[in-house]
Amino acid sequence: MIFITGGVRSGKSAFAEKFARQLGEEKTLYYVATGVSFDEEMKKRIIRHQQDRENQNAHWNTVEMQVQIPFTIEQLSNNDVVLFECVTTWLSNVLYTYEQINENSEYIDNCIESLQKQLLTWRKQGATIIVVSNEVLDELPSQYDEVNLYRKLLGELHQWIVQNSDEAYEVQFQLVQRWK
């Protein structure tokens, strides 16, 4: 498992896609897209990412995932490379869904546990997993409880992913720093 983080528009997605293509020669490439086009800005970002992948010399199997892991990619093998794009968007989806269905806090914990379990399962199955996330934890605490909850959960997820990763990278201004 490989973790790649960085600021918004830092070049982390391009780095992650290139990394996946290099690892994925003669392998099946999966792009797990967590973005939901809920406004014009997000629609444009999704289209840009799709066009970026179309312009590459690689065949990506795109799988859309709002919260739950789609059944189509629960079983993988060492012939597979999965690019999970991205943790921050996925966690936003979880919190938005939680807010819409008025569940108790177990819902959030169960979603996070399910993602962690699936990442470890893919790893045990031999797949290479590249997990991308945004670095948003450098900001001062917010006056809003929801933002602070998001930051707390994201920080805990980042720590868990790095602990369980073989490699960890941070991308800033298209400059890559390997931390693990």
Side-chain angles (χ1 to χ4, degrees), residues 1-174:
M1 187 155 49
I2 300 157
F3 180 63
I4 299 171
T5 189
V8 175
R9 309 266 196 292
S10 63
K12 68 188 170 303
S13 294
F15 174 71
E17 290 171 13
K18 182 178 179 182
F19 204 132
R21 288 192 317 272
Q22 289 171 341
L23 294 172
E25 291 179 11
E26 307 298 321
K27 293 186 178 190
T28 304
L29 293 171
Y30 290 95
Y31 188 98
V32 179
T34 61
V36 178
S37 60
F38 55 86
D39 65 10
E40 280 305 310
E41 179 186 353
M42 194 61 173
K43 286 178 188 174
K44 289 177 185 175
R45 292 182 73 187
I46 289 170
I47 290 169
R48 182 179 55 83
H49 278 275
Q50 290 170 338
Q51 290 171 340
D52 288 348
R53 288 193 308 278
E54 287 173 7
N55 294 330
Q56 300 168 3
N57 291 332
H59 174 70
W60 289 95
N61 296 292
T62 301
V63 179
E64 294 183 4
M65 174 184 155
Q66 185 171 357
V67 173
Q68 300 301 322
I69 304 287
F71 176 74
T72 55
I73 58 167
E74 285 184 354
Q75 295 293 319
L76 297 174
S77 72
N78 60 357
N79 291 320
D80 299 315
V81 175
V82 177
L83 175 54
F84 185 92
E85 174 84 49
C86 78
V87 173
T88 49
T89 303
W90 175 82
L91 183 58
S92 295
N93 296 343
V94 169
L95 294 176
Y96 177 77
T97 305
Y98 166 75
E99 185 179 282
Q100 296 301 309
I101 60 177
N102 264 338
E103 290 280 340
N104 58 33
S105 64
E106 285 181 29
Y107 173 79
I108 296 169
D109 294 339
N110 290 339
C111 289
I112 291 171
E113 185 178 303
S114 176
L115 176 66
Q116 291 169 330
K117 186 176 180 180
Q118 190 62 57
L119 292 172
L120 292 177
T121 298
W122 286 339
R123 188 173 182 196
K124 287 178 187 172
Q125 292 170 345
T128 301
I129 306 108
I130 299 173
V131 180
V132 177
S133 193
N134 286 297
E135 193 53 57
V136 297
L137 302 174
D138 294 337
E139 306 298 323
L140 295 174
S142 173
Q143 65 183 9
Y144 302 105
D145 292 339
E146 296 85 2
V147 173
N148 290 324
L149 172 63
Y150 178 78
R151 289 166 43 104
K152 173 188 171 290
L153 294 171
L154 185 61
E156 290 170 355
L157 258 172
H158 282 181
Q159 289 178 49
W160 182 90
I161 294 168
V162 170
Q163 179 183 3
N164 288 282
S165 290
D166 301 291
E167 300 175 36
Y169 297 87
E170 182 179 13
V171 181
Q172 294 295 334
F173 316 110
Q174 295 184 344

